[in-house]
């Protein structure tokens, strides 16, 4: 009812006063009160007409800087309102609708505008800042502009229904580099220097084995031998790493399967995943991001290509858990190959799971395992067979867990 009532407190008082004049005039016979009451009602009618009878069109567009918001970081929202109205409009207030995935104060003064009969559309630029609160895609809008007549008797709220979808990417944590472990981790950029002086004539092709990147296929040798061949030197000169996140919902809460940001543990796993990718790419590794069932979550990102990491962050804004549990398939993904670092991120991790992933540790120069909710001595057993393990907790410092896993083989990151 409050939204439908067109009068302000002052206008409501004027209406009551006008009606009272009619009643008192009838009781006392003072006809001047009738004229005064009619004048008040006429002013009220004119005030409402000035707001509701003017034809007005508005187009709202929004832009963000940066284009993709990040959890915990601020972004600038610029709102452009195109206005065409036949009569001058008084100043008012504006309020933009902010979803739960963002926080911010989106309100202010909407300026007065003159008549647009002789001119083109006027443009009003508004701006405010928002902070990412929850990963996902969230709609900003609609925009509401509330204005009053010059006498402050009537009010009107215009709601412009255009909404803008805002992508909120997961946060990234600056992890310690792996440069001190280059030899043990399969080599970083310094390994490439060992290949300097080898031209295209020195390429060595070998038979393709499951797990080799399709980008390393040597097509000339493949055509000559009528079987898939890959470039052996590229494997040596381009260090590779894999980041694997287990999305099986049995290891998380069921909420993690339906909406981003619903399960704090799964959110920690996502942050760990994108942070590990950013660290490895920065260190010069070519990184592939996989699910434990073999699904490629992001195409291979070449070493030092941080622009592709930004694209990955936007892709991971909507990633959720899935129904199947496929941790046991991890061994087949790395069978027959030896690679650089493998970062495995899981939720609940039982002692029985250790046997499922035991062979993988022998196919990596730096196998790293991070669990949100380890059970019993599961991580101790994994460390005994070669995994560098760590506990990641939503309230703890991920960088500490990462450094401890790389440096000591065991790190509990509780705050």
């Amino acid at each position: 009812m409050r939204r439908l009532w067109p009068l302000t407190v002052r206008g409501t008082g004027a209406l009551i006063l006008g009606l009272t004049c009619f009643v008192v005039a009838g009781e006392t016979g003072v006809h001047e009160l009738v004229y005064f009451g009619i004048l008040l009602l006429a002013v009220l009618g004119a005030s409402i007409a000035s707001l509701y009878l003017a034809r007005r069109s508005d187009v709202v567009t929004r832009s963000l800087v940066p284009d993709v918001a990040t959890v915990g970081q601020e972004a600038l929202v610029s709102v452009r309102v195109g206005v065409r109205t036949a009569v001058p409009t008084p100043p008012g207030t504006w309020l933009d609708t902010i979803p739960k995935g963002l926080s911010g104060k989106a309100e202010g003064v909407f300026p007065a505008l003159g008549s647009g009969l002789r001119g083109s559309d006027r443009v009003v630029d508004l701006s405010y800042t928002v902070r990412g609160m929850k990963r996902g895609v969230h709609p900003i809008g609609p925009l509401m502009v509330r204005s009053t007549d010059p006498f402050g008797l009537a009010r009107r709220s215009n709601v412009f229904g255009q909404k803008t979808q805002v992508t909120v990417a997961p946060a990234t944590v600056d992890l310690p580099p792996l440069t001190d472990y280059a030899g043990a981790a399969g080599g970083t950029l310094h390994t490439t220097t060992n290949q300097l002086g080898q031209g295209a004539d020195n390429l060595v092709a070998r038979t393709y084995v499951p797990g080799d990147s399709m980008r390393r296929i040597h097509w000339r040798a493949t055509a000559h031998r009528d079987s898939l061949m890959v470039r052996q030197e590229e494997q040596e000169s381009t260090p590779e790493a894999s980041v694997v996140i287990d999305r099986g919902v049995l290891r998380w809460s069921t909420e993690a399967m339906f909406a981003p940001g619903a399960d704090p543990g799964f959110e920690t796993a996502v942050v760990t995943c994108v942070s590990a990718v950013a660290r490895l790419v920065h260190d010069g590794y070519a990184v592939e991001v996989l699910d434990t069932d073999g699904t490629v979550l992001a195409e291979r990102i070449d070493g030092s290509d941080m622009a592709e990491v930004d694209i990955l962050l936007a892709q991971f804004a909507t990633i959720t858990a899935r129904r199947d549990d496929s941790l046991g398939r991890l061994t087949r993904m790395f069978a027959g190959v030896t690679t650089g670092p493998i970062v495995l991120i899981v939720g609940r991790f039982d002692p029985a799971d250790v046997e499922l992933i035991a062979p993988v540790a022998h196919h990596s120069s730096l196998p790293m395992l991070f669990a949100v909710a380890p059970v019993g001595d599961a991580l101790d057993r994994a460390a005994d067979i070669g995994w560098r393990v760590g506990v990641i907790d939503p309230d703890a410092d991920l960088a500490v867990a990462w450094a401890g896993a790389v440096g000591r083989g065991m790190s509990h990151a509780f705050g």
Side-chain angles (χ1 to χ4, degrees):
M1 290 298 294
R2 185 175 300 175
R3 293 183 180 180
L4 297 177
W5 186 244
L7 300 179
T8 63
V9 175
R10 181 184 301 176
T12 302
L15 176 62
I16 295 174
L17 180 59
L19 295 177
T20 302
C21 288
F22 290 121
V23 174
V24 174
E27 294 291 335
T28 64
V30 181
H31 301 293
E32 288 78 4
L33 292 177
V34 176
Y35 301 141
F36 185 69
I38 293 175
L39 177 61
L40 287 176
L41 294 182
V43 172
L44 287 174
S47 299
I48 295 174
S50 67
L51 294 176
Y52 284 83
L53 297 183
R55 299 187 61 184
R56 175 173 175 170
S57 61
D58 298 80
V59 177
V60 177
T61 58
R62 299 178 184 86
S63 60
L64 267 76
V65 179
D67 294 337
V68 177
T70 304
V71 173
Q73 301 295 323
E74 290 188 345
L76 177 65
V77 181
S78 298
V79 185
R80 173 159 289 192
V81 186
V83 182
R84 176 179 288 275
T85 178
V87 298
T89 61
T93 59
W94 62 271
L95 175 66
D96 212 1
T97 305
I98 303 297
K100 293 182 178 180
L102 298 167
S103 67
K105 185 179 181 181
E107 59 186 18
V109 177
F110 198 86
L113 298 174
S115 174
L117 289 177
R118 296 184 179 181
S120 59
D121 293 356
R122 274 74 48 78
V123 174
V124 178
D125 290 317
L126 312 171
S127 65
Y128 57 91
T129 58
V130 294
R131 177 180 293 271
M133 301 300 294
K134 184 171 69 172
R135 186 174 56 88
V137 178
H138 310 285
I140 294 182
L143 177 72
M144 183 179 71
V145 176
R146 175 172 292 179
S147 55
T148 61
D149 69 287
F151 299 105
L153 300 176
R155 63 188 173 192
R156 182 183 181 184
S157 296
N158 294 281
V159 178
F160 311 121
Q162 296 95 331
K163 296 183 179 181
T164 302
Q165 301 294 329
V166 176
T167 300
V168 180
T172 57
V173 178
D174 188 15
L175 302 177
L178 296 180
T179 52
D180 293 338
Y181 309 96
T188 55
L189 293 179
H190 88 286
T191 309
T192 306
T193 62
N194 295 333
Q195 304 295 329
L196 294 178
Q198 296 184 8
D201 296 336
N202 293 326
L203 296 179
V204 177
R206 63 167 174 79
T207 304
Y208 172 87
V209 295
D212 285 333
S213 173
M214 296 298 290
R215 297 186 181 185
R216 301 211 326 265
I217 293 180
H218 193 307
W219 294 108
R220 183 178 299 177
T222 297
H224 179 72
R225 300 193 182 186
D226 199 25
S227 62
L228 282 177
M229 307 292 290
V230 297
R231 295 181 178 90
Q232 179 71 29
E233 56 82 27
E234 186 171 334
Q235 183 182 20
E236 295 174 355
S237 62
T238 304
E240 296 183 345
S242 300
V243 178
V244 185
I245 180 172
D246 185 5
R247 297 191 297 143
V249 72
L250 294 179
R251 302 182 184 276
W252 314 97
S253 67
T254 54
E255 288 80 5
M257 189 170 59
F258 299 110
D263 181 359
F266 188 77
E267 295 307 299
T268 301
V270 172
V271 170
T272 304
C273 178
V274 296
S275 300
V277 172
R279 179 73 266 169
L280 292 168
V281 171
H282 185 273
D283 284 349
Y285 291 92
V287 181
E288 288 185 330
V289 186
L290 309 168
D291 196 348
T292 51
D293 64 352
T295 301
V296 177
L297 301 179
E299 296 296 334
R300 166 173 154 157
I301 302 176
D302 293 331
S304 302
D305 191 351
M306 301 308 293
E308 287 296 323
V309 175
D310 293 336
I311 296 176
L312 171 72
L313 292 176
Q315 294 175 344
F316 269 59
T318 56
I319 191 172
T320 57
R322 51 173 175 74
R323 190 173 300 278
D324 297 331
D325 185 12
S326 55
L327 187 61
R329 304 180 193 177
L330 190 65
T331 300
R332 288 182 290 176
M333 291 170 53
F334 296 97
V337 298
T338 300
T339 185
I342 296 177
V343 181
L344 174 60
I345 305 158
V346 298
R348 194 193 74 250
F349 187 69
D350 301 325
D353 297 326
V354 178
E355 299 300 325
L356 297 178
I357 65 170
V360 180
H362 305 293
H363 294 271
S364 169
S365 59
L366 184 62
M368 303 175 68
L369 169 64
F370 296 97
V372 175
V375 178
D377 62 346
L379 287 186
D380 293 325
R381 296 186 182 185
D384 290 341
I385 61 175
W387 285 95
R388 307 286 186 98
V389 299
V391 179
I392 50 177
D393 185 90
D395 299 323
D397 189 347
L398 176 60
V400 174
W402 175 271
V406 173
R408 300 189 301 274
M410 182 68 181
S411 171
H412 292 279
F414 291 106

